[in-house]
Amino acid sequence: MTTRTTTVRLPLEPALPVELAQELSQRVYFVSDTITGFSLVRSADGITAVDVDVDTETAVDPAGLARRINLMTANDLIGQRITEPKVVWRAAGSGPVTDAFDELVARGGAVEAGEGLIGVGEPVLSLMDHLDSLLRALVVEEFGAREYRYPTLVSADVLRRTGYFESFPQMVMSVSRLHGDIDSYRGFLDALADGGDLQEALSAHSGGFDHCLPPTMCFHTYHQFADGPLPAPSMVVTARGKSFRNESRYRRSLERLWDFTIREIVFLGTPEFVLDARGRLMERAYELVDALGLGGRCEVAGDPFFLNDTTAARAWSQRLLELKYELRLPLDGERDVSVGSFNYHEQFFGRSFGIGGAKGEPVFTGCAGFGLERFAYAFLCRHGLDPAHWPDAVRTAVAP
Amino acid sequence: MADAPTDEDKVLIRDFLDGHVHGVVVEDDEDLFASGLVNSLFAVQLVMWVERTYGLRASGEDLDFANFRSIDAIAGFVARKKALVGGDA
């Protein structure tokens, strides 16, 4: 079966400044899931259009797509101010960096299981565990962090309280189940009989959208301390767990997954405590990256807020106030990936979860998350798949 | 010195802040955002207020936290921008 696509030009009115290319690019696939590819059209006036590929097996609606993409640019992008890139740490690392993904797949170290879904074998598996153990030891030593292991599911009400639906509706992954009723189970099985369409049968007989897959671990922590005073003036909590985001067609190798593993560290307390702890963790992370023989940089970054009334203002105030930093490591001569982020939330979660600080005010929070698949992947792109070429300490710890 | 912050500017800035900090007395060198006096979305209002009040446009490297962190920082930023616009004034 061949899939036919056609390219449609969607004019942007008004044109966007070229500095917003990245902000635009990271939202195009979320404009409509009928878009299967795209490129930006640039002229002296800026970005004047987006050429999108659409599947001709679905009804192609250029006017409708143009309306949708302009709705997004008007809401999310036009009000943004462009801040200068700001790098706060940089290290060169040694030797060339070569994308290791294809070799990893060829050797069975990564197994493609579906869209944005990748299983990992050795050496990724042991390397992820080793990197996680280094991060865990580091935060226990530096902060006396308390560790928790949370359930994978998060209640939809908890996710609502985080504001995630309003900020990132495009990334939500919900969990449903069949209606809890014998007639429903029978109706479902009847619908499947004789090769009935599975999606139709599930849609007709499912209900109960009261759970979601967590997009990050820290939401569990705010819920844990919700509606009461924080048990101590300040706290540091760490957890490792599976996190899920609908990355749509932005999925790519181990670089961007729908389903991945985070080592998270959450800081709760006064603003001085949270900001100081975030800074200390960043310093420790740089030391770790150095010790692993990895080069990279840490820079001011932003989140892909989408379609909210305050998206543009939140996006550029986040960058202006340096609420988010990303630790980025190279994957080859050109591309890099964020293996960790260090975030300050002010009182956003303290307020929404009713967590009281020392004086009864909503507590201040911050968090850091390390993507373990990405971290291991960046390590392999730098040092290769053969443990003989790895730093001694890692080889000794990981060697099968 | 052409780009020294003026007391007049600091008074203007303080007047604007007073409407947003619920009567809290803000020191000239106090970090407005780290202390939780205002939230990050206020930064957008602050930048736009500075632009409107002084008839200037903040872009590129102007949009640095260091220029908006405190009353002193904002007054310093305004003074530098005025000096640029006014040439040798």
Side-chain angles (χ1 to χ4, degrees):
Chain A
M1 193 179 86
T2 56
T3 306
R4 290 181 176 278
T5 63
T6 184
T7 301
V8 179
R9 176 154 295 188
L10 308 177
L12 298 180
E13 293 159 358
L16 286 178
V18 290
E19 293 85 352
L20 287 174
Q22 175 59 27
E23 291 284 324
L24 172 62
S25 292
Q26 67 182 3
R27 289 173 172 86
V28 172
Y29 283 130
F30 294 119
V31 166
S32 166
D33 60 14
T34 60
I35 297 173
T36 59
F38 70 90
S39 61
L40 308 186
V41 181
R42 297 160 194 255
S43 78
D45 298 327
I47 305 164
T48 54
V50 182
D51 284 343
V52 299
D53 301 328
V54 286
D55 187 344
T56 51
E57 286 175 25
T58 57
V60 179
D61 174 18
L65 286 172
R67 177 185 63 76
R68 294 205 222 6
I69 201 163
N70 279 286
L71 184 73
M72 182 273 284
T73 57
N75 190 79
D76 295 358
L77 303 183
I78 286 170
Q80 287 199 36
R81 293 292 183 83
I82 296 126
T83 51
E84 299 274 298
K86 189 165 181 180
V87 175
V88 295
W89 175 82
R90 194 190 290 276
S94 59
V97 186
T98 311
D99 191 334
F101 187 69
D102 289 344
E103 193 185 350
L104 208 47
V105 172
R107 292 202 199 176
V111 185
E112 303 193 79
E115 205 169 358
L117 309 177
I118 293 183
V120 294
E122 296 298 356
V124 187
L125 195 54
S126 296
L127 202 48
M128 280 174 65
D129 284 341
H130 177 61
L131 294 171
D132 182 53
S133 72
L134 295 175
L135 289 165
R136 184 188 172 282
L138 183 162
V139 296
V140 168
E141 181 194 285
E142 183 77 30
F143 305 107
R146 275 192 219 182
E147 184 165 32
Y148 288 90
R149 181 75 37 94
Y150 296 114
T152 294
L153 298 187
V154 65
S155 117
D157 289 334
V158 169
L159 195 60
R160 182 178 196 167
R161 220 169 166 181
T162 67
Y164 196 79
F165 293 125
E166 289 81 5
S167 297
F168 308 104
Q170 79 280 25
M171 298 213 165
V172 172
M173 303 276 261
S174 70
V175 176
S176 187
R177 55 184 178 274
L178 296 175
H179 283 298
D181 184 283
I182 280 202
D183 288 340
S184 179
Y185 302 139
R186 290 182 52 168
F188 173 69
L189 293 174
D190 287 346
L192 281 193
D194 306 322
D197 185 88
L198 176 61
Q199 292 305 318
E200 280 179 23
L202 282 168
S203 295
H205 297 282
S206 292
F209 290 90
D210 46 6
H211 290 86
C212 291
L213 294 168
T216 178
M217 285 295 103
C218 62
F219 294 169
H220 289 294
T221 307
Y222 310 132
H223 178 52
Q224 173 180 359
F225 296 114
D227 303 315
L230 195 67
S234 61
M235 294 186 72
V236 180
V237 170
T238 185
R240 167 190 173 153
K242 278 309 208 67
S243 299
F244 305 83
R245 297 178 194 171
N246 171 36
E247 293 282 3
S248 179
R249 290 188 171 83
Y250 294 109
R251 67 182 162 63
R252 178 177 177 141
S253 68
L254 285 170
E255 191 178 327
R256 191 172 290 280
L257 296 164
W258 289 15
D259 171 335
F260 58 103
T261 317
I262 290 183
R263 163 60 64 180
E264 184 114 5
I265 303 96
V266 187
F267 308 110
L268 307 100
T270 63
E272 295 78 15
F273 171 78
V274 172
L275 286 168
D276 176 66
R278 179 175 74 157
R280 279 158 60 198
L281 181 57
M282 286 166 70
E283 292 296 328
R284 293 294 303 259
Y286 305 156
E287 288 169 17
L288 176 61
V289 167
D290 271 338
L292 292 168
L294 305 170
R297 69 182 194 283
C298 187
E299 65 186 17
V300 174
D303 283 312
F305 298 113
F306 194 64
L307 280 193
N308 189 276
D309 289 345
T310 59
T311 291
R314 286 177 75 183
W316 75 268
S317 64
Q318 184 186 36
R319 289 196 302 268
L320 176 68
L321 297 183
E322 302 178 15
L323 301 183
K324 183 183 197 79
Y325 296 98
E326 282 180 350
L327 178 60
R328 303 190 69 91
L329 306 185
L331 298 175
D332 60 22
E334 291 173 357
R335 291 193 349 278
D336 60 15
V337 69
S338 168
V339 301
S341 72
F342 309 88
N343 307 279
Y344 179 47
H345 316 123
E346 305 175 308
Q347 290 169 294
F348 186 84
F349 293 115
R351 184 169 285 121
S352 59
F353 279 90
I355 310 170
K359 296 176 203 151
E361 79 291 2
V363 77
F364 290 76
T365 63
C367 72
F370 294 87
L372 299 180
E373 287 86 353
R374 286 177 166 188
F375 205 169
Y377 178 40
F379 179 95
L380 293 170
C381 291
R382 170 68 72 173
H383 294 303
L385 269 54
D386 181 356
H389 299 123
W390 294 359
D392 290 344
V394 182
R395 187 177 58 247
T396 311
V398 170
Chain B
M1 215 170 96
D3 60 354
T6 67
D7 289 341
E8 191 188 338
D9 287 335
K10 288 190 188 178
V11 169
L12 260 182
I13 296 162
R14 187 181 296 283
D15 280 352
F16 171 69
L17 285 177
D18 277 348
H20 297 88
V21 297
H22 315 294
V24 176
V25 177
V26 185
E27 300 296 328
D28 283 359
D29 61 351
E30 186 173 349
D31 191 319
L32 301 169
F33 297 94
S35 54
L37 282 172
V38 290
N39 72 22
S40 55
L41 279 178
F42 175 72
V44 172
Q45 292 180 52
L46 179 60
V47 172
M48 289 179 169
W49 175 82
V50 167
E51 291 184 331
R52 216 168 41 240
T53 305
Y54 293 97
L56 55 85
R57 171 87 179 167
S59 62
E61 60 189 25
D62 296 338
L63 292 172
D64 191 303
F65 190 17
N67 291 331
F68 298 94
R69 190 186 288 274
S70 64
I71 292 175
D72 277 344
I74 302 163
F77 170 68
V78 166
R80 286 193 301 280
K81 291 297 276 189
K82 279 191 200 169
L84 278 178
V85 173
D88 57 0

